[in-house]
Amino acid sequence: MTPETGTVVRRLRKGMADGVLSFPLTSFHDDGSLDPDGFRAYVAERIATGPGAVFPACGTGEFFSLDEGEYRQVVTITVEEAGGRVPVVAGIGYGWAQAVRFARIAEEAGADALLVLPHYLVTAPQDGLVAQLEQIAARTRLPLIAYQRGQVAFSVASVKRIADIPTVVGLKDGHSDLDRLQRLTLAAPEDFLFFNGAATAEIQARAYATVGVPAYSSAVHAFAPEIANAFFTAFQGGDDGTVDKLLRDFYVPLVELRDRVPGYAVSLVKAAARLRGCPVGPVRAPLTDPSAADLADLELLLAAGLDLVGAAL
């Protein structure tokens, strides 16, 4: 690990201990075009609430729908608004050749590290999963965090191999297979970063912590940082009563609402941000915005959740 990579790892480790990992939405106009001014205002508000790190242009940020020019604007704006206060980890993805194109843009924009999103469509053998990271690492100086979810699932042997790549510094887990995850954490070097990337990760925060992975990403931070930060404070402080109340009265109902329609993991989050007055606009196809009925249920739940932490809609 180079001194530069080591510095990024230390900043990320501190950020993971100090706050939630924020995955901002990407702002679009009603016609579907990118809204850079809206995004700048929105991401500045997210950063001001004290996340541990910010991850632009990832799954919640609709990376899959951005062209290279839009991606450059999103990452550049995030870096500018972060101003070095928190690490900026940009999403990259698809096959390694395309991922490298995005990696170079992120590097030019000043990102601190990259999150390698699951590759498109194909199911690959373990050697291929490792090779994907090797090919990307050989073509960018930025530290890489692998993301296992969907068709990407690293074996213990593969985690040992990717940890030997000097710029691969961590793993985001979206499978929630805690038996397997425990084996991965024990096999990896001590300085290798792990964090919980399950959908609505707070639901499983306690379970992940039991296998040594207390850090997590928070989709709720994208629209209600007051709730996300209140949960984080209670979770870190061992306030089980507050954790239970937030889970029971907000997070579990949110997951039940999220699970009504495919794609709500993003579009429901974006709708909630719009309810808060955030300039994020609609989702891009193939995602769809929530129905009127689901939107009404979301508004009631959001108001109730904010009331739990003494905030208002």
mmCIF file of all heavy atoms in Angstrom, residues 1 10 26 36 44 49 54 72 96 100 104 108 125 144 147 189 194-196 200 202 239 248 255 276 286-287 289 307:
data_model
loop_
_atom_site.group_PDB
_atom_site.id
_atom_site.type_symbol
_atom_site.label_atom_id
_atom_site.label_comp_id
_atom_site.label_asym_id
_atom_site.label_seq_id
_atom_site.Cartn_x
_atom_site.Cartn_y
_atom_site.Cartn_z
ATOM 1 N N MET A 1 0.846 -1.195 0.000
ATOM 2 C CA MET A 1 0.000 0.000 0.000
ATOM 3 C C MET A 1 0.883 1.246 0.000
ATOM 4 O O MET A 1 1.779 1.393 0.817
ATOM 5 C CB MET A 1 -0.903 -0.002 1.237
ATOM 6 C CG MET A 1 -1.897 1.136 1.298
ATOM 7 S SD MET A 1 -2.907 1.128 2.809
ATOM 8 C CE MET A 1 -3.812 -0.397 2.619
ATOM 9 N N ARG A 10 -7.057 5.521 6.021
ATOM 10 C CA ARG A 10 -7.203 6.077 7.370
ATOM 11 C C ARG A 10 -8.366 7.063 7.431
ATOM 12 O O ARG A 10 -9.133 7.072 8.409
ATOM 13 C CB ARG A 10 -5.894 6.742 7.816
ATOM 14 C CG ARG A 10 -4.789 5.756 8.177
ATOM 15 C CD ARG A 10 -3.607 6.448 8.815
ATOM 16 N NE ARG A 10 -2.893 7.294 7.881
ATOM 17 C CZ ARG A 10 -1.935 6.876 7.051
ATOM 18 N NH1 ARG A 10 -1.585 5.598 7.050
ATOM 19 N NH2 ARG A 10 -1.319 7.715 6.233
ATOM 20 N N THR A 26 -28.961 11.712 -7.547
ATOM 21 C CA THR A 26 -28.553 12.601 -8.632
ATOM 22 C C THR A 26 -29.769 13.406 -9.078
ATOM 23 O O THR A 26 -30.845 12.845 -9.309
ATOM 24 C CB THR A 26 -27.979 11.815 -9.815
ATOM 25 O OG1 THR A 26 -26.801 11.116 -9.375
ATOM 26 C CG2 THR A 26 -27.602 12.736 -10.961
ATOM 27 N N PRO A 36 -27.479 20.247 -12.695
ATOM 28 C CA PRO A 36 -26.254 20.456 -11.902
ATOM 29 C C PRO A 36 -26.453 21.400 -10.728
ATOM 30 O O PRO A 36 -25.905 21.169 -9.642
ATOM 31 C CB PRO A 36 -25.267 21.038 -12.923
ATOM 32 C CG PRO A 36 -25.824 20.680 -14.266
ATOM 33 C CD PRO A 36 -27.304 20.657 -14.101
ATOM 34 N N ALA A 44 -24.531 19.603 -1.145
ATOM 35 C CA ALA A 44 -23.966 20.473 -0.110
ATOM 36 C C ALA A 44 -24.719 20.292 1.205
ATOM 37 O O ALA A 44 -24.105 20.254 2.285
ATOM 38 C CB ALA A 44 -24.030 21.935 -0.562
ATOM 39 N N THR A 49 -24.422 17.770 6.944
ATOM 40 C CA THR A 49 -24.975 17.012 8.074
ATOM 41 C C THR A 49 -23.978 16.015 8.671
ATOM 42 O O THR A 49 -24.347 15.230 9.549
ATOM 43 C CB THR A 49 -26.256 16.270 7.654
ATOM 44 O OG1 THR A 49 -25.941 15.306 6.640
ATOM 45 C CG2 THR A 49 -27.306 17.229 7.127
ATOM 46 N N VAL A 54 -18.845 10.403 1.405
ATOM 47 C CA VAL A 54 -19.932 10.585 0.445
ATOM 48 C C VAL A 54 -19.592 9.831 -0.838
ATOM 49 O O VAL A 54 -18.458 9.875 -1.323
ATOM 50 C CB VAL A 54 -20.200 12.081 0.191
ATOM 51 C CG1 VAL A 54 -18.996 12.787 -0.384
ATOM 52 C CG2 VAL A 54 -21.418 12.280 -0.696
ATOM 53 N N ARG A 72 -19.102 13.135 -14.973
ATOM 54 C CA ARG A 72 -18.034 14.082 -14.637
ATOM 55 C C ARG A 72 -18.588 15.249 -13.815
ATOM 56 O O ARG A 72 -17.977 15.661 -12.823
ATOM 57 C CB ARG A 72 -17.373 14.603 -15.915
ATOM 58 C CG ARG A 72 -16.201 15.560 -15.648
ATOM 59 C CD ARG A 72 -15.619 16.101 -16.942
ATOM 60 N NE ARG A 72 -15.037 15.058 -17.757
ATOM 61 C CZ ARG A 72 -13.808 14.588 -17.606
ATOM 62 N NH1 ARG A 72 -13.018 15.087 -16.651
ATOM 63 N NH2 ARG A 72 -13.341 13.646 -18.408
ATOM 64 N N TRP A 96 -14.661 -4.014 -17.236
ATOM 65 C CA TRP A 96 -13.516 -3.257 -16.734
ATOM 66 C C TRP A 96 -13.102 -2.131 -17.672
ATOM 67 O O TRP A 96 -12.647 -1.070 -17.229
ATOM 68 C CB TRP A 96 -12.337 -4.164 -16.409
ATOM 69 C CG TRP A 96 -11.669 -4.874 -17.550
ATOM 70 C CD1 TRP A 96 -11.829 -6.168 -17.928
ATOM 71 C CD2 TRP A 96 -10.697 -4.323 -18.452
ATOM 72 N NE1 TRP A 96 -11.037 -6.466 -19.008
ATOM 73 C CE2 TRP A 96 -10.323 -5.350 -19.355
ATOM 74 C CE3 TRP A 96 -10.093 -3.075 -18.602
ATOM 75 C CZ2 TRP A 96 -9.401 -5.154 -20.383
ATOM 76 C CZ3 TRP A 96 -9.168 -2.880 -19.617
ATOM 77 C CH2 TRP A 96 -8.837 -3.926 -20.485
ATOM 78 N N VAL A 100 -12.906 1.626 -16.302
ATOM 79 C CA VAL A 100 -11.675 2.416 -16.327
ATOM 80 C C VAL A 100 -11.931 3.808 -16.892
ATOM 81 O O VAL A 100 -11.350 4.807 -16.431
ATOM 82 C CB VAL A 100 -10.582 1.679 -17.125
ATOM 83 C CG1 VAL A 100 -9.410 2.602 -17.442
ATOM 84 C CG2 VAL A 100 -10.093 0.457 -16.340
ATOM 85 N N ARG A 104 -11.051 7.128 -14.737
ATOM 86 C CA ARG A 104 -10.181 8.236 -15.152
ATOM 87 C C ARG A 104 -10.889 9.574 -14.985
ATOM 88 O O ARG A 104 -10.271 10.566 -14.599
ATOM 89 C CB ARG A 104 -9.742 8.014 -16.595
ATOM 90 C CG ARG A 104 -8.724 6.878 -16.721
ATOM 91 C CD ARG A 104 -8.427 6.520 -18.157
ATOM 92 N NE ARG A 104 -7.422 5.453 -18.230
ATOM 93 C CZ ARG A 104 -7.236 4.670 -19.283
ATOM 94 N NH1 ARG A 104 -8.002 4.810 -20.367
ATOM 95 N NH2 ARG A 104 -6.296 3.729 -19.262
ATOM 96 N N GLU A 108 -9.632 12.553 -12.479
ATOM 97 C CA GLU A 108 -9.454 13.931 -12.939
ATOM 98 C C GLU A 108 -10.306 14.910 -12.127
ATOM 99 O O GLU A 108 -9.914 16.059 -11.900
ATOM 100 C CB GLU A 108 -9.812 14.034 -14.417
ATOM 101 C CG GLU A 108 -8.840 13.313 -15.337
ATOM 102 C CD GLU A 108 -9.377 13.157 -16.761
ATOM 103 O OE1 GLU A 108 -10.500 13.662 -17.022
ATOM 104 O OE2 GLU A 108 -8.687 12.544 -17.588
ATOM 105 N N PRO A 125 -16.952 -16.582 -12.992
ATOM 106 C CA PRO A 125 -16.233 -17.398 -12.005
ATOM 107 C C PRO A 125 -15.358 -16.510 -11.129
ATOM 108 O O PRO A 125 -15.120 -15.337 -11.433
ATOM 109 C CB PRO A 125 -15.385 -18.331 -12.879
ATOM 110 C CG PRO A 125 -15.156 -17.558 -14.132
ATOM 111 C CD PRO A 125 -16.410 -16.766 -14.361
ATOM 112 N N LEU A 144 -9.527 1.278 -4.546
ATOM 113 C CA LEU A 144 -10.768 0.648 -4.975
ATOM 114 C C LEU A 144 -11.437 -0.070 -3.814
ATOM 115 O O LEU A 144 -10.777 -0.732 -3.014
ATOM 116 C CB LEU A 144 -10.494 -0.377 -6.082
ATOM 117 C CG LEU A 144 -9.738 0.099 -7.321
ATOM 118 C CD1 LEU A 144 -9.486 -1.087 -8.256
ATOM 119 C CD2 LEU A 144 -10.504 1.195 -8.044
ATOM 120 N N TYR A 147 -17.584 -4.184 -4.476
ATOM 121 C CA TYR A 147 -18.973 -4.243 -4.006
ATOM 122 C C TYR A 147 -19.545 -5.591 -4.416
ATOM 123 O O TYR A 147 -19.707 -5.867 -5.597
ATOM 124 C CB TYR A 147 -19.772 -3.100 -4.615
ATOM 125 C CG TYR A 147 -21.206 -2.958 -4.147
ATOM 126 C CD1 TYR A 147 -21.747 -3.725 -3.126
ATOM 127 C CD2 TYR A 147 -22.039 -2.010 -4.746
ATOM 128 C CE1 TYR A 147 -23.054 -3.565 -2.709
ATOM 129 C CE2 TYR A 147 -23.357 -1.834 -4.337
ATOM 130 C CZ TYR A 147 -23.862 -2.615 -3.325
ATOM 131 O OH TYR A 147 -25.160 -2.458 -2.919
ATOM 132 N N PRO A 189 -6.767 -8.967 5.514
ATOM 133 C CA PRO A 189 -5.810 -8.279 6.382
ATOM 134 C C PRO A 189 -6.529 -7.363 7.372
ATOM 135 O O PRO A 189 -7.660 -6.919 7.134
ATOM 136 C CB PRO A 189 -4.964 -7.460 5.394
ATOM 137 C CG PRO A 189 -5.182 -8.085 4.067
ATOM 138 C CD PRO A 189 -6.557 -8.665 4.088
ATOM 139 N N PHE A 194 -14.367 -3.077 5.629
ATOM 140 C CA PHE A 194 -15.638 -3.722 5.305
ATOM 141 C C PHE A 194 -16.770 -2.799 5.744
ATOM 142 O O PHE A 194 -16.680 -2.139 6.786
ATOM 143 C CB PHE A 194 -15.803 -5.051 6.062
ATOM 144 C CG PHE A 194 -14.974 -6.179 5.535
ATOM 145 C CD1 PHE A 194 -13.690 -6.400 6.032
ATOM 146 C CD2 PHE A 194 -15.470 -7.046 4.565
ATOM 147 C CE1 PHE A 194 -12.920 -7.448 5.559
ATOM 148 C CE2 PHE A 194 -14.705 -8.095 4.088
ATOM 149 C CZ PHE A 194 -13.423 -8.306 4.583
ATOM 150 N N PHE A 195 -17.846 -2.756 4.940
ATOM 151 C CA PHE A 195 -19.032 -2.079 5.445
ATOM 152 C C PHE A 195 -20.304 -2.695 4.881
ATOM 153 O O PHE A 195 -20.310 -3.331 3.832
ATOM 154 C CB PHE A 195 -18.982 -0.565 5.242
ATOM 155 C CG PHE A 195 -19.049 -0.066 3.817
ATOM 156 C CD1 PHE A 195 -20.267 0.278 3.240
ATOM 157 C CD2 PHE A 195 -17.888 0.116 3.085
ATOM 158 C CE1 PHE A 195 -20.323 0.787 1.954
ATOM 159 C CE2 PHE A 195 -17.941 0.625 1.797
ATOM 160 C CZ PHE A 195 -19.160 0.954 1.222
ATOM 161 N N ASN A 196 -21.353 -2.519 5.649
ATOM 162 C CA ASN A 196 -22.676 -3.063 5.382
ATOM 163 C C ASN A 196 -23.349 -2.236 4.298
ATOM 164 O O ASN A 196 -23.633 -1.064 4.491
ATOM 165 C CB ASN A 196 -23.459 -3.029 6.709
ATOM 166 C CG ASN A 196 -24.951 -3.252 6.575
ATOM 167 O OD1 ASN A 196 -25.470 -3.564 5.518
ATOM 168 N ND2 ASN A 196 -25.653 -3.094 7.692
ATOM 169 N N THR A 200 -31.452 -0.540 2.900
ATOM 170 C CA THR A 200 -31.894 -0.065 4.214
ATOM 171 C C THR A 200 -31.057 -0.752 5.291
ATOM 172 O O THR A 200 -31.527 -1.540 6.105
ATOM 173 C CB THR A 200 -33.401 -0.299 4.437
ATOM 174 O OG1 THR A 200 -34.118 0.073 3.249
ATOM 175 C CG2 THR A 200 -33.911 0.552 5.592
ATOM 176 N N GLU A 202 -29.703 -0.064 8.037
ATOM 177 C CA GLU A 202 -29.942 0.052 9.478
ATOM 178 C C GLU A 202 -30.687 -1.165 10.029
ATOM 179 O O GLU A 202 -30.479 -1.555 11.180
ATOM 180 C CB GLU A 202 -30.749 1.316 9.792
ATOM 181 C CG GLU A 202 -29.957 2.602 9.675
ATOM 182 C CD GLU A 202 -30.011 3.236 8.298
ATOM 183 O OE1 GLU A 202 -30.360 2.532 7.319
ATOM 184 O OE2 GLU A 202 -29.696 4.438 8.177
ATOM 185 N N ASP A 239 -27.741 2.655 22.770
ATOM 186 C CA ASP A 239 -29.079 3.054 23.232
ATOM 187 C C ASP A 239 -30.108 2.146 22.548
ATOM 188 O O ASP A 239 -30.726 2.517 21.541
ATOM 189 C CB ASP A 239 -29.317 4.521 22.887
ATOM 190 C CG ASP A 239 -30.661 5.038 23.363
ATOM 191 O OD1 ASP A 239 -31.474 4.230 23.862
ATOM 192 O OD2 ASP A 239 -30.910 6.253 23.207
ATOM 193 N N ARG A 248 -38.734 -0.123 14.778
ATOM 194 C CA ARG A 248 -40.134 -0.568 14.804
ATOM 195 C C ARG A 248 -41.068 0.431 14.116
ATOM 196 O O ARG A 248 -41.948 0.042 13.344
ATOM 197 C CB ARG A 248 -40.576 -0.777 16.248
ATOM 198 C CG ARG A 248 -41.985 -1.308 16.411
ATOM 199 C CD ARG A 248 -42.398 -1.374 17.868
ATOM 200 N NE ARG A 248 -41.449 -2.156 18.666
ATOM 201 C CZ ARG A 248 -40.635 -1.632 19.579
ATOM 202 N NH1 ARG A 248 -40.654 -0.327 19.813
ATOM 203 N NH2 ARG A 248 -39.813 -2.395 20.271
ATOM 204 N N VAL A 255 -39.188 -0.321 4.929
ATOM 205 C CA VAL A 255 -38.815 -1.489 4.128
ATOM 206 C C VAL A 255 -40.054 -2.157 3.528
ATOM 207 O O VAL A 255 -40.045 -2.572 2.364
ATOM 208 C CB VAL A 255 -38.012 -2.488 4.985
ATOM 209 C CG1 VAL A 255 -37.859 -3.823 4.264
ATOM 210 C CG2 VAL A 255 -36.640 -1.917 5.314
ATOM 211 N N ARG A 276 -39.249 16.504 1.051
ATOM 212 C CA ARG A 276 -38.511 17.407 1.952
ATOM 213 C C ARG A 276 -38.114 18.714 1.254
ATOM 214 O O ARG A 276 -37.461 19.567 1.853
ATOM 215 C CB ARG A 276 -37.226 16.734 2.466
ATOM 216 C CG ARG A 276 -37.373 15.427 3.180
ATOM 217 C CD ARG A 276 -38.088 15.499 4.503
ATOM 218 N NE ARG A 276 -37.635 16.509 5.452
ATOM 219 C CZ ARG A 276 -36.564 16.395 6.247
ATOM 220 N NH1 ARG A 276 -35.807 15.308 6.185
ATOM 221 N NH2 ARG A 276 -36.266 17.343 7.112
ATOM 222 N N PRO A 286 -35.177 2.890 -16.543
ATOM 223 C CA PRO A 286 -36.393 2.104 -16.355
ATOM 224 C C PRO A 286 -37.037 2.202 -14.972
ATOM 225 O O PRO A 286 -38.026 1.526 -14.717
ATOM 226 C CB PRO A 286 -35.914 0.671 -16.610
ATOM 227 C CG PRO A 286 -34.499 0.680 -16.114
ATOM 228 C CD PRO A 286 -33.958 2.028 -16.493
ATOM 229 N N LEU A 287 -36.492 3.006 -14.058
ATOM 230 C CA LEU A 287 -37.163 3.216 -12.782
ATOM 231 C C LEU A 287 -38.422 4.049 -13.002
ATOM 232 O O LEU A 287 -38.523 4.804 -13.984
ATOM 233 C CB LEU A 287 -36.231 3.916 -11.801
ATOM 234 C CG LEU A 287 -34.960 3.167 -11.403
ATOM 235 C CD1 LEU A 287 -34.106 4.027 -10.479
ATOM 236 C CD2 LEU A 287 -35.295 1.843 -10.752
ATOM 237 N N ASP A 289 -41.406 6.563 -10.809
ATOM 238 C CA ASP A 289 -41.727 7.238 -9.560
ATOM 239 C C ASP A 289 -42.901 6.541 -8.875
ATOM 240 O O ASP A 289 -43.710 5.873 -9.523
ATOM 241 C CB ASP A 289 -42.064 8.701 -9.836
ATOM 242 C CG ASP A 289 -40.833 9.505 -10.208
ATOM 243 O OD1 ASP A 289 -39.810 9.369 -9.507
ATOM 244 O OD2 ASP A 289 -40.882 10.271 -11.195
ATOM 245 N N ASP A 307 -40.888 13.061 13.326
ATOM 246 C CA ASP A 307 -41.412 13.413 14.643
ATOM 247 C C ASP A 307 -40.707 12.608 15.751
ATOM 248 O O ASP A 307 -40.491 13.127 16.855
ATOM 249 C CB ASP A 307 -42.925 13.157 14.683
ATOM 250 C CG ASP A 307 -43.562 13.621 15.986
ATOM 251 O OD1 ASP A 307 -43.499 14.833 16.271
ATOM 252 O OD2 ASP A 307 -44.105 12.767 16.716
#
